Amino acid sequence: MTSTPFPDRDTIASKLASLEEQEKSYVSLLMENAAQDENVIDGLHRHLNNAASAPFLNTLKLESLGRWIGGAAPARLQIRLMEAAKSSQHPAYAAFRSGLSRSGGLERAYPPAVI
């Protein structure tokens, strides 16, 4: 019998979709545990794919998600978040990427070298 990893990507995607304070706390707790990194990234991909296929595209909400997750995620996830944001040219991904860039998370995790 195979066990399903907890939480699954659909659960994480639904938490990212609502982005209320309780869901932010839940996702933040998941991001603290390196063993949950795959689930968080899979959930993010699922959420972005759902947003891309939705009849109405809420770019402000996706930008807000990018800003929040970029500021809340630990350094080890910053590159993977940017890879997820750049994995499609769809406007949903572009809105998320815009918010992620504005968060400055990648620059804080990997500051530019001073020569």
Side-chain angles (χ1 to χ4, degrees):
M1 176 184 348
T2 60
S3 62
T4 315
F6 180 78
D8 65 355
R9 66 184 183 164
D10 293 323
T11 301
I12 295 170
S14 70
K15 301 287 185 190
L16 293 173
S18 94
L19 207 60
E20 292 177 8
E21 215 43 54
Q22 185 176 1
E23 279 73 18
K24 285 181 179 179
S25 297
Y26 181 84
V27 174
S28 292
L29 186 62
L30 288 176
M31 289 189 297
E32 288 177 12
N33 183 356
Q36 294 293 333
D37 287 358
E38 287 301 317
N39 293 339
V40 170
I41 297 298
D42 286 347
L44 176 62
H45 277 289
R46 174 65 133 201
H47 173 61
L48 292 173
N49 287 336
N50 289 345
S53 63
F56 175 74
L57 181 60
N58 190 340
T59 56
L60 292 176
K61 194 168 186 180
L62 289 166
E63 245 185 85
S64 177
L65 171 63
R67 278 194 311 273
W68 173 76
I69 204 165
R76 71 174 191 282
L77 281 176
Q78 293 296 333
I79 290 177
R80 296 194 65 196
L81 290 171
M82 191 55 76
E83 287 172 349
K86 290 182 176 182
S87 65
S88 174
Q89 295 299 316
H90 190 279
Y93 286 79
F96 175 74
R97 185 171 51 248
S98 173
L100 191 60
S101 295
R102 288 182 183 162
S103 76
L106 193 60
E107 289 79 20
R108 282 189 310 273
Y110 302 99
V114 179
I115 299 176

